[in-house]
Amino acid sequence: MKKTLIALAVSAATLAFGANADTLATAQANDANLSGTTLYSANGNTIIMNGRIEGVAKEQGGKVTSDSDARIGFGGVSVINAKNNLYGVGYYQAQLTTADNGSTDSGSTTITNRYLYAGVGGNFGQVVYGKDDGAFETFMDGYTDIMSTFGDNYRMLNVADRSDNTVTYQGSYGNFSAIANYRFADGSTNTNGDVVSNGQRGTSAAVNYVIGDTGATIGTGYSNQNGSHLYMTGVGYTISNFYVGATYNTGKLNFGNTTSRSAFGGYKTSENFGANTLSFTNEQDYREYELAASYTLGKTLFTTNYSNEKTGDFTTGKALAIDATYFFTPNFRSYIGYNFNLLSQGDSIGTSSTDVVTKAGAEDQAMVGMRYDF
């Protein structure tokens, strides 16, 4: 549901700019980030703004923490050739969070640059350079990442998730959609004055196919980075107010090539399970599958997600999540959700005698929140 409302919230004013309207519509079809509120449109240039403000309280172990944040993005489309819908594009989005921890205006505000890219697009699709979504994030999330609260438990290599220093292409051909991106290795100067690489070069690609008017969609993708590679397949089916989807993610993660938490899209060398840590070394097989379903009843959306993850010979994640979201308006919603952690205290999750799930690592979570999109 990450971009669903934004993609649907193209205002009527956006479509009223004569010959430039077709180019803007093409840009929005190529890039959901370009939908939102139009701030300016004249002389072949359009500037849009979008984002969200979200107040979220998360409970675990009897303690409540804030997961609140705000996102704000600005994008621009400049018509190069209206006849061929050729355009230039730029987009930036920031996420702001606070962690005052009981203080007043502690100065703890942090800003994350979620997107920053520029490029060209047209009837052929769109090519950009900068920080943008990778193949799995763009296409595969839609199959099982449908909840307002939990879910979305599979691991992605950074190149397939969202990374900088990346060239990305995406386009549609009838019922087919495709995306491919290449991340360059970052260069730096060592003590000898030589330019060296950080080894984060990688690629990802995915295709989706909508099977006519059946309500069914299928997609597959591949990614590799820093000695690791993953394959993902997804299927989805919609009938009336019901939706069901599934994804399967498999491959190998090379822990011997990294000590970075971010090397696997959040999958660090020592995965924290409460007070203890589970350490992986060398190359490990990885398998994860998710099942998701939703039902829409009036303005209320009910969703659920089941995930099961194995790293090496051990189950390193298993959960069942449920939530309900009520849409007061297309721009404002509230939701409540619960995540059942199906790992139990004392479960073995690694080769060492200390690699067990702790009490904290086995606790369930609850979440309640409200969100305004613009």
Side-chain angles (χ1 to χ4, degrees):
M1 297 179 63
K2 290 179 179 176
K3 300 175 182 175
T4 304
L5 285 183
I6 292 177
L8 295 176
V10 182
S11 66
T14 307
L15 302 177
F17 306 131
N20 297 334
D22 290 339
T23 302
L24 180 59
T26 299
Q28 291 169 334
N30 287 333
D31 190 340
N33 285 331
L34 298 177
S35 296
T37 300
T38 300
L39 301 180
Y40 169 85
S41 184
N43 303 318
N45 294 287
T46 302
I47 299 174
I48 62 96
M49 177 182 70
N50 55 32
R52 74 184 196 194
I53 302 170
E54 192 165 19
V56 185
K58 181 184 289 186
E59 183 277 335
Q60 184 176 24
K63 304 296 187 294
V64 177
T65 57
S66 173
D67 263 10
S68 304
D69 64 45
R71 294 177 183 175
I72 184 166
F74 294 92
V77 175
S78 182
V79 177
I80 298 173
N81 186 322
K83 181 179 179 180
N84 298 316
N85 289 331
L86 185 65
Y87 62 86
V89 61
Y91 183 73
Y92 172 77
Q93 185 189 81
Q95 177 170 297
L96 301 92
T97 59
T98 61
D100 290 328
N101 294 322
S103 301
T104 300
D105 298 335
S106 65
S108 63
T109 300
T110 58
I111 298 178
T112 299
N113 299 314
R114 297 188 77 247
Y115 296 95
L116 197 165
Y117 57 81
V120 295
N123 296 330
F124 60 88
Q126 180 171 288
V127 179
V128 300
Y129 171 79
K131 184 175 184 180
D132 194 9
D133 288 331
F136 288 8
E137 175 70 15
T138 300
F139 281 129
M140 307 308 293
D141 271 11
Y143 290 105
T144 52
D145 182 16
I146 61 174
M147 303 187 69
S148 294
T149 55
F150 302 100
D152 187 18
N153 295 314
Y154 55 80
R155 312 295 179 177
M156 288 188 285
L157 304 183
N158 274 353
V159 67
D161 187 353
R162 189 175 61 249
S163 60
D164 65 346
N165 200 9
T166 301
V167 175
T168 305
Y169 167 78
Q170 56 182 324
S172 298
Y173 310 90
N175 289 348
F176 278 98
S177 298
I179 180 171
N181 64 302
Y182 177 84
R183 189 192 193 282
F184 298 93
D186 302 295
S188 61
T189 305
N190 64 14
T191 56
N192 296 324
D194 298 323
V195 178
V196 296
S197 166
N198 67 349
Q200 292 301 315
R201 179 177 61 250
T203 58
S204 72
V207 294
N208 267 12
Y209 180 67
V210 178
I211 306 175
D213 297 324
T214 65
T217 306
I218 186 169
T220 187
Y222 170 78
S223 64
N224 70 80
Q225 187 175 24
N226 202 19
S228 301
H229 64 271
L230 292 174
Y231 301 87
M232 183 180 284
T233 299
V235 293
Y237 180 67
T238 302
I239 179 171
S240 187
N241 294 334
F242 289 93
Y243 169 80
V244 292
T247 55
Y248 180 68
N249 195 9
T250 185
K252 292 185 181 293
L253 300 179
N254 192 335
F255 293 91
N257 281 352
T258 182
T259 57
S260 170
R261 172 181 173 81
S262 64
F264 304 118
Y267 201 112
K268 55 184 177 179
T269 305
S270 294
E271 186 74 5
N272 193 303
F273 289 84
N276 296 338
T277 58
L278 171 63
S279 296
F280 298 101
T281 58
N282 302 320
E283 191 176 76
Q284 299 288 336
D285 289 330
Y286 179 79
R287 294 89 64 203
E288 195 268 355
Y289 67 88
E290 293 192 19
L291 306 173
S294 71
Y295 175 68
T296 302
L297 180 63
K299 293 184 177 182
T300 305
L301 177 67
F302 300 94
T303 58
T304 184
N305 176 289
Y306 171 79
S307 61
N308 188 303
E309 175 192 76
K310 286 184 176 292
T311 307
D313 296 325
F314 301 94
T315 298
T316 49
K318 187 172 13 175
L320 173 66
I322 56 173
D323 72 16
T325 303
Y326 183 78
F327 291 86
F328 293 91
T329 73
N331 296 88
F332 185 73
R333 74 185 84 170
S334 65
Y335 52 80
I336 185 169
Y338 196 87
N339 188 55
F340 298 92
N341 188 344
L342 302 181
L343 292 177
S344 301
Q345 183 179 357
D347 283 353
S348 177
I349 49 178
T351 56
S352 171
S353 60
T354 61
D355 289 341
V356 296
V357 179
T358 64
K359 179 181 178 180
E363 289 176 339
D364 296 342
Q365 293 178 311
M367 186 185 296
V368 62
M370 291 178 287
R371 170 172 159 178
Y372 175 73
D373 294 280
F374 57 89

